[in-house]
Amino acid sequence: METYEYFESNQAFLRALKVIPGGIYGHLGPVNGCAIPATAYPRFASRTDGAYFWDLDGNRFVDYMCAYGPNILGYNDPDVNAAVLSQTRLGDCSTLPFTTMIDMAEILVDTVAMADWAFFAKNGGDVTSLAIMTARAATGRKKIVLVKGNYHGVAAWTQKRGSPGVSSEDVANNLYVDWNDFEQFKRVVEDNRGEIACFMSTPYWHPVFYDNVLPERDYWQKVRRLCTEHGIVLAIDDVRCGFRLDLRGSDHFYGFKADLMCFCKALGNGHNFSALCGIDSLREAVSRVMYTGSYWLSAVPFAAGIATLKKMRELKADELCLRLGRQLTDGLVDVARQEGFHLKVSGEPSMWYMRIADDDSLMLHQQWVAECVRRGVFFTNHHNLFINTALSASDICFTLDVAREAFRVVAKNNPHALGGGW
Amino acid sequence: MHHARTMGHINLFAVLRVIEDLCRLDVVARKLISKADVCVEFRVRGGPRGALRFENGHCRFVPEVKGAKILLYLNSCDHFNAMVAGEKKPVLLRGITRIKFLSKEFGELIRRLEYFLKPAGGLIHDSGFRSIHTELALHTAIYALVQIANHDPEMAAWVHAMPQGAIAVDVQDGPSLTIVNEKGILAAYSERASAPRARMLFMDMQTVFQILSGSGDALTAIATGRIQLSGFIPMLDSVDKLLLRVGHYLN
């Protein structure tokens, strides 16, 4: 197989460095630790379609990051595009909202099992912050309980004390527990009786760099009961998992009912908006929180969201993504085994995490992923990956062929590792 | 905001410690200690304790020492930090007969250290000077990072989150250091790690100089491949946050 070069991407990146801090900042950039070595990765896209994107050098990639989640139906989905064009002709950002906002709320409330209402914003972080404020408004309490390693955005309260730009006071009311440790959570609740406003978590544990962990049997049911007993608002950050496990919400998937659910990413198939869904008893609290933004009620993203939700329902996108993910990950594990490697897959198959095991430095895994990327299969090293419904059987076959060749390159370059530990 | 106890540990275990590297790298410093056979201990009440041992033309920093010929006592971390800043004197508890070494050779070594770590005028444009400056600054920064990790309460969350193991800090065709995290206690050594769990590779000393002097930024250096990261990146993420804090203490 030919390996890709990134001449145009690198030239553009040098331009970017002159006028943009870090060239490309944040999770799409080369610095955040999920693109190692940075030279193996393209920097800029030239176009997208279906399950693919093309970089500036014309290289095509089967995209398993899906824009870090938003792309669930495939890029440039014709039904979503048609809805967007139609609404664009009517208007988008305006002095008054369009009724597409109501349509969007209705279909969301109809789709998500726990939802009695929907409140819209732009990013996932907007609605995780709103969930915390709503819980505080409803309970009159300050403290919140978070799970170590979970990601809820970039607002100061979501970050570690000692991070640049974060003061001790920003995180002073945060209490942290280990994932899946109900007894620990129970102790924290008892030690802070009457003081905890909210328990927020993702539906399962999917941090970067660590094997993802599903909830233990009855974990969520016990958490739900304890929160109800102590008047704690149970908020689920479904920004990443949302619609890839269950269109009715990931709480429904795991058999419990959240009080608040945060959605973004797949909600509009890449069109930018987010939603906080809640139960009736929190309707008053959320409406009392001063929370708004210039573009939050723009109509075009809602039109995209309506089309996306309709199509996801038609396709049963949740089941399809899980099925495609299972096919792909089973294939990758098989190919790895045939080539003498142990590839460990964790998390749910529609947004799985993987690593070459028996190498706790992860350096072999970084080499393998880099070889895949150079051959047109876009993985990142240490973030969970994503499936979209446009992924075809031939894309999966191509991916497995690339994976096999990449394993062989790594094996050739690391004979000592294969001889010693597999 | 500085934490006096952390600053005290940095001053002893990072700033004064690099006198051992100064004596290795700088001909003038080496000559100053060529005939010295003495150990200078610093004892700070409620703070750090350690010594510089000079013998056989070498200097070695030792955290534990018994019977040092010269014992300098500081009655608090603030006192010690003021001494390092040149604002206060230590109490000489032992070594009155060695006072000549303290006032002459040792005093000159301190001035030599300052000469390299706080370069005046256009000295930095001299390649020989810059090479020594950069290597000393790198050692100081890594040693200081470890002290911040072990003592600064502001950074406790990052240290707690830091996975265990060895981190290699290597410069291509240049010095290597190793940071080890063992059960939340960090240590740094001036040697190449044999089996690091994570690695930060600077492609040249110029990049090290740019990062430490603030004339270049680390994110751009990573993005352009002048710093290459590999391995278990959460370890390097913690190192990055600690390094930022080093700047707050030492600049």
Side-chain angles (χ1 to χ4, degrees):
Chain A
M1 280 179 196
E2 240 177 78
T3 53
Y4 291 168
E5 303 281 340
Y6 306 122
F7 179 77
E8 294 293 337
S9 254
N10 291 335
Q11 291 298 111
F13 189 68
L14 293 176
R15 271 178 60 208
L17 278 171
K18 290 178 185 163
V19 288
I20 300 169
I24 308 167
Y25 46 79
H27 61 295
L28 299 190
V31 175
N32 267 18
C34 289
I36 301 166
T39 50
Y41 286 77
R43 303 292 168 88
F44 290 96
S46 61
R47 69 187 178 95
T48 58
D49 196 56
Y52 318 116
F53 73 81
W54 285 259
D55 70 5
L56 290 188
D57 293 270
N59 303 312
R60 189 199 79 165
F61 296 84
V62 179
D63 181 9
Y64 288 106
M65 288 313 293
C66 298
Y68 282 74
N71 173 34
I72 189 164
L73 296 175
Y75 294 114
N76 259 337
D77 179 82
D79 298 316
V80 177
N81 280 358
V84 164
L85 279 175
S86 172
Q87 182 60 48
T88 302
R89 287 190 200 101
L90 298 172
D92 184 19
C93 182
S94 164
T95 303
L96 297 179
F98 289 74
T99 54
T100 46
M101 175 174 146
I102 311 171
D103 301 335
M104 181 66 226
E106 283 173 348
I107 192 171
L108 195 54
V109 167
D110 186 53
T111 305
V112 174
M114 56 72 69
D116 294 319
W117 50 261
F119 187 116
F120 300 111
K122 276 292 163 214
N123 280 296
D126 293 334
V127 286
T128 55
S129 289
L130 177 60
I132 298 298
M133 292 176 79
T134 301
R136 284 177 171 151
T139 60
R141 302 169 181 175
K142 287 184 192 173
K143 293 182 182 176
I144 58 173
V145 182
L146 306 170
V147 174
K148 290 175 198 165
N150 273 353
Y151 175 84
H152 298 300
V154 292
W157 69 267
T158 68
Q159 301 202 28
K160 281 192 194 76
R161 181 182 176 191
S163 302
V166 176
S167 71
S168 304
E169 290 78 4
D170 288 324
V171 294
N173 289 308
N174 292 5
L175 304 168
Y176 299 94
V177 294
D178 293 311
W179 168 246
N180 257 344
D181 191 339
F182 174 73
E183 290 304 318
Q184 190 187 33
F185 176 52
K186 195 173 163 189
R187 280 196 300 278
V188 166
V189 169
E190 281 163 3
D191 291 346
N192 297 273
R193 188 175 278 270
E195 295 183 275
I196 298 170
C198 182
F199 175 59
M200 177 178 280
S201 177
T202 51
Y204 74 90
W205 201 61
H206 48 65
V208 288
F209 289 99
Y210 293 92
D211 293 342
N212 291 184
V213 184
L214 302 183
E216 281 179 4
R217 186 182 170 84
D218 294 336
Y219 171 74
W220 277 122
Q221 288 68 28
K222 288 190 280 188
V223 167
R224 174 67 276 179
R225 264 197 306 278
L226 192 68
C227 286
T228 303
E229 281 166 24
H230 289 263
I232 296 167
V233 174
L234 176 54
I236 294 300
D237 177 347
D238 216 9
V239 168
R240 206 184 297 179
C241 294
F243 310 113
R244 277 192 168 84
L245 310 190
D246 191 326
L247 297 183
R248 293 160 295 182
S250 299
D251 59 342
H252 189 269
F253 187 72
Y254 289 122
F256 69 104
K257 185 182 177 188
D259 299 320
L260 294 171
M261 293 277 286
C262 307
F263 294 102
C264 188
K265 292 195 183 286
L267 188 53
N269 202 46
H271 290 269
N272 53 339
F273 76 114
S274 58
L276 180 69
C277 289
I279 57 172
D280 254 333
S281 62
L282 293 171
R283 189 188 295 263
E284 166 76 6
V286 74
S287 60
R288 290 287 183 182
V289 175
M290 174 57 190
Y291 215 66
T292 187
S294 297
Y295 309 100
W296 288 11
L297 306 187
S298 292
V300 167
F302 292 143
I306 294 160
T308 301
L309 268 178
K310 280 182 182 168
K311 191 157 184 177
M312 284 198 293
R313 284 161 66 151
E314 284 164 22
L315 290 173
K316 295 186 178 166
D318 45 359
E319 293 171 22
L320 180 55
C321 284
L322 286 165
R323 194 164 62 246
L324 288 169
R326 209 165 286 121
Q327 284 171 11
L328 177 71
T329 54
D330 285 352
L332 287 169
V333 169
D334 270 352
V335 168
R337 191 167 41 237
Q338 288 160 18
E339 298 301 324
F341 289 83
H342 174 204
L343 186 73
K344 185 170 184 186
V345 170
S346 57
E348 296 290 358
S350 51
M351 40 178 288
W352 80 106
Y353 177 84
M354 62 181 172
R355 69 179 171 93
I356 293 178
D358 306 321
D359 164 29
D360 77 349
S361 78
L362 300 174
M363 289 182 192
L364 288 179
H365 185 71
Q366 288 159 3
Q367 291 177 38
W368 175 67
V369 168
E371 295 303 332
C372 289
V373 173
R374 289 189 182 107
R375 288 163 176 78
V377 169
F378 196 91
F379 296 138
T380 55
N381 302 115
H382 307 298
H383 193 287
N384 75 272
L385 299 121
F386 295 93
I387 293 288
N388 66 80
T389 61
L391 190 71
S392 68
S394 65
D395 293 328
I396 292 178
C397 289
F398 172 74
T399 302
L400 298 181
D401 288 345
V402 165
R404 185 183 301 282
E405 184 165 305
F407 279 126
R408 286 177 181 174
V409 172
V410 176
K412 190 178 167 194
N413 291 342
N414 300 272
H416 55 287
L418 280 173
W422 306 106
Chain B
M1 194 173 145
H2 290 184
H3 181 245
R5 187 175 148 78
T6 307
M7 190 73 220
H9 280 80
I10 290 172
N11 274 328
L12 183 58
F13 292 110
V15 178
L16 293 179
R17 177 178 172 179
V18 294
I19 288 177
E20 66 180 17
D21 298 294
L22 175 74
C23 293
R24 177 173 55 84
L25 295 168
D26 176 38
V27 179
V28 175
R30 213 159 42 235
K31 197 171 172 189
L32 279 169
I33 63 158
S34 60
K35 292 176 185 164
D37 180 11
V38 65
C39 184
V40 181
E41 182 184 357
F42 298 87
R43 200 178 290 179
V44 183
R45 186 168 172 266
R49 180 178 170 176
L52 288 161
R53 186 189 296 282
F54 301 93
E55 60 185 355
N56 302 323
H58 296 285
C59 170
R60 196 159 59 90
F61 181 84
V62 281
E64 299 279 339
V65 69
K66 279 184 183 169
K69 289 174 181 168
I70 298 173
L71 174 56
L72 301 175
Y73 179 77
L74 296 305
N75 59 34
S76 68
C77 285
D78 283 332
H79 183 193
F80 180 53
N81 296 335
M83 182 207 84
V84 174
E87 294 158 2
K88 285 192 177 171
K89 300 272 184 206
V91 179
L92 181 63
L93 280 191
R94 191 189 307 142
I96 190 75
T97 58
R98 306 273 177 163
I99 199 153
K100 182 169 162 288
F101 176 79
L102 268 186
S103 57
K104 195 177 173 210
E105 286 91 346
F106 192 73
E108 188 55 38
L109 273 182
I110 296 290
R111 283 188 286 279
R112 198 72 189 156
L113 184 64
E114 193 171 355
Y115 166 79
F116 279 110
L117 287 182
K118 295 180 178 174
L123 272 175
I124 206 69
H125 301 301
D126 176 84
S127 63
F129 177 91
R130 193 167 64 238
S131 169
I132 295 176
H133 160 82
T134 306
E135 188 162 343
L136 290 179
L138 177 64
H139 279 79
T140 307
I142 298 299
Y143 294 155
L145 173 162
V146 161
Q147 298 310 315
I148 289 168
N150 292 341
H151 299 286
D152 186 347
E154 276 297 304
M155 300 309 291
W158 279 100
V159 177
H160 184 71
M162 189 174 183
Q164 293 195 52
I167 301 166
V169 180
D170 297 330
V171 183
Q172 186 110 298
D173 303 321
S176 289
L177 291 105
T178 302
I179 302 167
V180 176
N181 176 17
E182 193 175 344
K183 295 178 182 169
I185 304 294
L186 270 65
Y189 306 99
S190 178
E191 59 192 46
R192 184 179 292 271
S194 57
R197 200 173 172 201
R199 187 180 191 212
M200 180 189 296
L201 172 66
F202 292 87
M203 296 315 287
D204 49 47
M205 286 297 274
Q206 177 65 11
T207 303
V208 178
F209 170 73
Q210 287 173 342
I211 300 303
L212 295 180
S213 66
S215 58
D217 75 276
L219 298 188
T220 299
I222 294 167
T224 53
R226 286 183 293 118
I227 297 177
Q228 295 186 6
L229 309 180
S230 59
F232 204 64
I233 302 300
M235 303 177 84
L236 299 178
D237 203 18
S238 291
V239 163
D240 174 55
K241 301 303 179 292
L242 291 163
L243 267 177
L244 283 172
R245 193 86 177 145
V246 168
H248 294 168
Y249 277 96
L250 291 181
N251 289 338

